[in-house]
Amino acid sequence: MAKRVNEIIIFVFVALFSKAIGAKPYWRTRWPIDRVSTECLTWQLAVEANNVRGWRIVPAHCLSHIEAYMTGGQYEQDVDYIVEQIESYVSEIVVGEDGMDAWILDIDDTCLSNVIYYKKKKYGCEPYDPMAFKAWAMKGECPAIPGVLGLFSKLVKNGFKVFLITGRDEETLAPSTIANLHDQGFIGYERLTFRSPAYKGKSAVVYKSEIRKQIMEEGYRIWGNVGDQWTDLQGDCLGNRTFKLPNLMYCVP
């Protein structure tokens, strides 16, 4: 009899324990192995969702996380996935015969990659250094981002007019940037716009909005706008759709 009572007590205890565990949200039963990594994943999500705005540097404890993301293959996979979504959208567009169907592309970390440069800057854990970046850009050695180069080529081949809009300074960086784009295969774009003295001191949103407005006033239909910064994709005259590429190394306010 005592044995039977003990069995009943054990059964009831197990049943209550199982019910208690099962009633908890699933995420509370999974203890993180590396708390730093999970914190950096949370920061990454908040940044890409534009919930953290105007941040200046990458949190120092996230250096290893950002390095692994940017150089370990996940970044390329994410870019390629977004490009697939863009190409799927492009395939549904009927290009007009008037030659006025347009796309907008940013340059830095949209067409051309600065990962090599930011490796020396601890992937954004160090404050932005405008003089060092200018020296890097003047070398004209930024490699193309393969997925975006492929997208660019398809857009041009399909009859779209591609406009490149960059925040790079016209007076100092135009020659090296033009040569860099050509060397990397970005040939056949309609127009490349740099930040001229007229836009000095204006925010990226205001500057790029005004350039897009000018393009639309010329009669172009902007079907899509691609950039790595939220400020590439905010403001006026954005076009029919916008596509955000990942960038965890810096934020352009």
Side-chain angles (χ1 to χ4, degrees):
M1 182 65 181
K3 181 178 179 181
R4 180 59 177 170
V5 171
N6 288 337
E7 289 177 350
I8 293 174
I9 292 174
I10 292 173
F11 175 80
V12 171
F13 174 79
V14 171
L16 291 173
F17 180 77
S18 298
K19 183 176 181 181
I21 293 296
K24 292 182 179 179
Y26 72 93
W27 47 266
R28 290 192 178 182
T29 64
R30 299 179 182 179
W31 295 96
I33 297 175
D34 185 343
R35 186 170 183 82
V36 171
S37 294
T38 57
E39 287 178 355
C40 294
L41 279 170
T42 300
W43 177 81
Q44 177 178 346
L45 173 63
V47 164
E48 291 297 0
N50 200 30
N51 291 323
V52 177
R53 302 182 180 183
W55 54 276
R56 307 306 300 174
I57 60 174
V58 172
H61 66 278
C62 291
L63 170 58
S64 296
H65 173 79
I66 303 303
E67 181 177 21
Y69 175 76
M70 296 302 303
T71 64
Q74 187 62 51
Y75 167 72
E76 287 84 355
Q77 181 175 312
D78 290 351
V79 170
D80 289 346
Y81 183 80
I82 295 168
V83 168
E84 288 178 8
Q85 307 310 304
I86 299 174
E87 291 179 345
S88 176
Y89 165 63
V90 169
S91 68
E92 300 173 354
I93 301 172
V94 178
V95 179
E97 296 181 357
D98 58 1
M100 302 302 285
D101 295 296
W103 273 78
I104 307 293
L105 299 183
D106 173 53
I107 290 182
D108 283 301
D109 294 294
T110 298
C111 292
L112 300 176
S113 172
N114 293 301
V115 173
I116 295 173
Y117 166 78
Y118 275 97
K119 179 179 180 180
K120 299 178 181 179
K121 296 296 181 179
K122 297 183 179 180
Y123 298 96
C125 289
E126 294 183 358
Y128 176 64
D129 185 340
M131 296 306 297
F133 180 79
K134 182 174 290 187
W136 154 255
M138 290 182 70
K139 293 180 179 179
E141 298 177 353
C142 301
I145 296 177
V148 179
L149 177 57
L151 170 65
F152 169 86
S153 299
K154 289 180 180 179
L155 289 172
V156 173
K157 182 179 179 180
N158 291 345
F160 291 96
K161 300 298 175 62
V162 179
F163 292 82
L164 306 180
I165 306 177
T166 178
R168 290 188 177 194
D169 176 62
E170 182 177 45
E171 295 179 320
T172 58
L173 297 179
S176 59
T177 302
I178 292 170
N180 195 166
L181 287 165
H182 185 277
D183 292 344
Q184 291 299 314
F186 289 93
I187 301 171
Y189 52 82
E190 183 69 12
R191 189 183 307 161
L192 168 54
T193 303
F194 293 88
R195 184 187 282 269
S196 67
Y199 294 101
K200 185 176 181 180
K202 292 188 177 182
S203 69
V205 172
V206 170
Y207 157 58
K208 294 199 171 186
S209 291
E210 291 187 12
I211 300 302
R212 291 192 300 264
K213 182 179 179 181
Q214 293 173 17
I215 292 171
M216 293 188 70
E217 288 177 344
E218 293 175 29
Y220 287 97
R221 298 177 291 273
I222 300 176
W223 286 99
N225 182 5
V226 185
D228 67 296
Q229 299 292 316
W230 279 105
T231 48
D232 296 329
L233 312 174
Q234 296 171 330
D236 301 325
C237 306
L238 293 172
N240 197 51
R241 283 194 64 178
T242 60
F243 296 88
K244 170 72 168 62
L245 298 182
N247 187 345
L248 300 176
M249 301 181 296
Y250 60 89
C251 173
V252 177

